[in-house]
């Protein structure tokens, strides 16, 4: 990754050959190791995440360390590459703590800027897939204003995404950012029943817990903001991958399904809906790529690019999943068909890291289009 | 001779500027010299305004000329000639036709219009009924065309007409260049929803077109027209626009400058449309990057759909935002503008004119069918006109 310094440099909205190669590697792994019946079976078990799949993804492909510099054990790549991985994970609604650990927690730690000490050590463990960490804030949080824990690591937080899979909880408090080991005294992670079956949620309760202080309050605040910004920006790529699967699968199904002695995909009312959806997916790709490129290059436009991508892609993913259910007819309503997994993920994603409305408010601020 | 690279084009452009300083050279003379230097459209053949260079290098020439404040050939005024007639003449014209038509077209001395649509054949373009009957070395044309912009200022027209009614509709069409000054060509203004007559009806009565003004073989005019139409769609949505460069610009400015007009409902709608306009801009930018990288995607077919809907929604919002002012209109006088103006005049005009965006150049409904069938590979609509002679179709 080379940082572009000139402001006049337009964003690169395409995929490089290296990014396409990475996509092919991830897709091939997921085709082999993560089919739909497997995902559905896991959502019904106590272990939504497959540790072998995570190991292959994190260390085999090296996806977990894409954002981390090589000297800390990572790949020294960037957000554009991570976005491609997330697109593929979204396309297969993979249950894996990638967005939460390899992006949000990792980016939060990177923002602390430390080259050694506990934060750097933890980064190495995340980058090499040995540990999973999550930022202990509500999944809907769009900024650091939602920090509720007091200085003494006392309080209840939630719903926190992927907390059940985390070895380490990064807890922002009024006193700074703490790394708290899961399973230690005073830490209770209680699973919740989530709308999205593929991304577990939990309540985190801290009662006089102890942890390692990684940063002071001011630094922590900026780092949390940075982590959530990266999370929102790359979530757009998950929404893109998800929407693309829904469209592709709906087109495939309506070409094959016959009613009234014709493939149902030959009816104009359905064709137009799928063509509209195609245009939305194409547009979502431009918005998601723009956000990933802005994050990768450290562009001053990043907050706007992320807000635009989230305000747009959230709606596209939900629309694509809803169309997928409807155009599959009764089959789309069944537990066996994967459409419901996509609908649940899309709807949950539309709340994650700030709703579309919340991101539009950011657009209003940044573009000086104030409310009445 | 090998085609020049970017450095070569820069050098040739500077040589042109040195030999014909824009400050002391007349506009038409400069444009002729530019054409003759092969710097008009660099991807065209040498001798026809180009140098066989890659199309992607045209911006190198344009940037040099803009920096030197050189006159341009007013691409908007001659858009139909540049975007549709020229590529078709280049692809199908004889050497003599190319030499005769391309230079005055590019320089802007001769304006072109397009005689394709008919009152009875809009979206179903191949159903057209204008007849061309062979008479010695000429064809005699009778019929009526519609939605013809620039017809009242055009010297030439690209024309499709039926030369064989006894075969299915796509097979009996031929493609001509029609002289708009010939007897039998009558142009009547067609007043529109905006009050303007930006388009015309064109009546063709016994118009004689020499066979040397035919483009492509007799009966293969539909294939030739596909070249024209493909170029038409490429040219729509192809321009690079800055943030707030489209219809959203004036609305955002009004919002910033006039807080007394703001309401909560309008705020929500404005933000949604602002985001969609920004995403459409990015999608267009991505499409152009794909073209430059030699990976043309099918996104172009979608851009016109996106802009049509956005223009309509945004201009509708703008009229509401203006409140009492939105109740007024600038002027209902019938004018005959030389240029199609989508964004000019006031909010009411923009609102009314944008209604055409989802009709002209292919209706949104037809474009959605094209996306569904050619991009997504969905089954085609059942058709009952493919194997029937044109004369036996119901009308």
């Amino acid at each position: 990754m080379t940082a572009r310094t000139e402001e006049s440099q337009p964003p690169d909205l395409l995929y490089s050959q290296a990014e396409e190669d990475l996509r092919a590697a991830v897709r091939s792994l997921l085709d082999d190791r993560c089919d739909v019946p497997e995902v559905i079976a896991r959502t019904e078990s106590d272990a939504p995440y497959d540790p072998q799949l995570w190991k292959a993804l994190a260390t085999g492909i090296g996806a977990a360390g894409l954002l981390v510099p090589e000297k800390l054990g990572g790949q020294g790549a960037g957000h554009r590459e991570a976005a491609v991985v997330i697109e593929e994970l979204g396309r297969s609604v993979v249950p894996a703590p990638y967005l939460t650990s390899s992006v949000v927690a990792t980016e939060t730690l990177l923002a602390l800027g430390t080259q050694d000490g506990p934060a750097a050590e933890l980064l190495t463990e995340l980058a090499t897939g040995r540990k999973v960490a999550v930022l202990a804030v509500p999944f809907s949080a769009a900024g650091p204003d939602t920090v509720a824990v007091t200085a003494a690591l006392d309080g209840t937080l939630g719903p926190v995404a992927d907390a059940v899979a985390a070895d380490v909880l990064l807890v922002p408090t009024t006193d700074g950012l703490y790394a708290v080991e899961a399973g230690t005294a005073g830490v209770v992670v209680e699973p919740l029943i989530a709308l999205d079956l593929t991304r577990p949620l939990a309540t985190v309760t801290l009662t006089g817990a102890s942890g390692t202080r990684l940063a002071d309050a001011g630094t922590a605040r900026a780092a949390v903001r940075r982590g959530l910004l990266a999370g929102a920006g790359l979530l757009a790529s998950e929404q893109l991958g998800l929407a693309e699967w829904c469209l592709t699968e709906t087109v495939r199904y309506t070409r094959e399904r016959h009613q009234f002695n014709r493939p149902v995909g030959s009816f104009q009312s359905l064709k137009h809906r799928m063509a509209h959806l195609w245009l939305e997916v194409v547009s979502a790709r431009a918005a998601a790529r723009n956000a990933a490129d802005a994050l990768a290059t450290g562009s001053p436009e990043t907050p706007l690019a992320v807000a635009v991508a989230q305000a747009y892609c959230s709606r596209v993913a939900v629309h694509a999943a809803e169309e997928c259910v409807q155009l599959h007819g009764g089959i789309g309503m069944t537990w066996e068909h994967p459409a419901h997994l996509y609908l649940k993920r899309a709807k949950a994603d539309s709340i994650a890291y700030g709703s579309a409305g919340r991101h539009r408010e950011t657009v209003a601020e940044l573009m000086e289009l104030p409310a009445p | 001779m090998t085609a020049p690279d970017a450095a070569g084009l820069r050098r040739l452009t500077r040589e042109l500027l040195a030999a014909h300083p824009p400050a002391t050279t007349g506009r038409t003379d400069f444009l002729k010299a530019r054409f003759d230097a092969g710097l008009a459209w660099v991807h065209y053949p040498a001798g026809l305004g180009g140098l066989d260079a890659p199309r992607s290098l045209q911006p190198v020439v344009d940037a040099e000329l803009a920096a030197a404040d050189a006159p341009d050939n007013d691409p908007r005024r001659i858009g139909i000639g540049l975007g549709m007639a020229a590529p078709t003449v280049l692809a199908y014209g004889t050497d003599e036709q190319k030499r005769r038509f391309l230079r005055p077209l590019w320089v802007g001395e001769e304006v072109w219009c397009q005689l394709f649509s008919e009152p009875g054949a809009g979206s179903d373009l191949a159903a057209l009924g204008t007849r061309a009957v062979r008479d010695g070395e000429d064809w005699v044309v009778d019929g009526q065309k519609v939605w013809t912009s620039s017809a009242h200022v055009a010297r030439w027209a690209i024309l499709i007409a039926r030369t064989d009614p006894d075969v299915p509709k796509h097979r009996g069409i031929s493609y001509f260049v029609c002289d708009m000054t010939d007897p039998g060509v009558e142009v009547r203004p067609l007043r529109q929803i905006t009050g303007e007559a930006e388009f015309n009806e064109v009546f063709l009565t016994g118009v004689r077109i020499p066979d040397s003004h035919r483009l492509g073989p007799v009966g293969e005019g539909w294939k030739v027209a596909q070249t024209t139409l493909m170029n038409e769609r490429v040219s729509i949505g192809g321009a690079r626009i800055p943030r707030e460069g489209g219809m959203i610009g004036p609305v955002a400015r009004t919002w910033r400058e006039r807080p007394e007009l703001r309401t909560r409902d309008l705020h929500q709608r404005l933000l949604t449309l602002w985001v969609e306009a920004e995403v459409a801009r990015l999608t267009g930018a991505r499409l152009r990057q794909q073209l430059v990288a030699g990976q043309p995607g099918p996104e172009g077919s979608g851009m016109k759909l996106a802009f049509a809907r956005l223009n309509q929604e945004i201009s509708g919002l703008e009229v509401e935002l203006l409140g009492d002012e939105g109740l007024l209109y600038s002027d209902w006088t019938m004018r005959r503008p030389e240029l199609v103006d989508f964004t000019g005049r006031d909010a009411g005009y923009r609102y009314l004119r944008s209604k055409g965006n989802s009709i002209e150049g292919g209706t949104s409904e037809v474009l959605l069918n094209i996306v569904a069938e050619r991009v997504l590979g969905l089954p085609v609509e059942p058709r009952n006109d493919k194997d029937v002679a044109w004369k036996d179709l119901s009308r």
Side-chain angles (χ1 to χ4, degrees), chain A residues 11 13-15 251 255 266 268 271-272 276 278 282-283 285 290 301 304 315 367-372, chain B residues 243 255-256 262-264 267 274 279 282-283 286 289-290 298-299 365 368-369 371 373 376-377 379 381:
Chain A
L13 303 173
L14 305 180
Y15 299 100
V251 167
R255 283 168 64 172
S266 70
Q268 198 174 63
K271 287 163 85 167
H272 284 194
H276 277 300
W278 171 81
V282 161
S283 306
R285 185 180 309 285
N290 187 50
E301 298 252 301
L304 181 68
R315 191 179 56 76
M367 291 310 303
E368 293 170 10
L369 297 166
Chain B
R243 181 172 294 147
W255 186 272
R256 290 183 190 114
R262 297 173 191 160
T263 71
R264 294 208 164 272
H267 191 230
W274 193 96
V279 172
L282 291 167
T283 310
R286 184 163 198 276
Q289 291 181 6
Q290 283 178 294
E299 284 87 341
E365 287 70 23
L368 286 168
N369 276 357
V371 167
E373 292 172 9
L376 296 177
E381 292 276 305

Side-chain angles (χ1 to χ4, degrees), chain A residues 178-253:
Chain A
Y178 284 83
V180 177
E181 297 278 336
T184 56
V187 183
V188 175
V189 176
E190 196 161 358
L192 297 164
I193 300 172
L195 174 71
D196 174 9
L197 293 152
T198 62
R199 185 170 271 145
L201 299 175
T203 301
V204 174
T205 306
L206 303 171
T207 319
S210 59
T212 309
R213 188 165 179 264
L214 302 177
D216 63 36
T219 310
R221 214 179 145 71
V224 168
R225 177 174 283 122
R226 179 74 200 173
L228 293 174
L229 185 68
L234 296 196
L235 177 64
S237 288
E238 174 168 310
Q239 291 163 326
L240 166 64
L242 189 159
E244 191 164 47
W245 183 91
C246 291
L247 173 62
T248 306
E249 203 50 30
T250 305
V251 167
R252 191 191 63 72
Y253 177 77

Side-chain angles (χ1 to χ4, degrees), chain B residues 10-33:
Chain B
R10 205 168 284 123
R11 181 177 55 76
L12 289 169
T13 309
R14 286 177 187 167
E15 283 171 16
L16 169 74
L17 288 165
H20 305 273
T24 53
T25 311
R27 181 173 175 278
T28 307
D29 287 342
F30 182 85
L31 292 171
K32 285 178 175 170

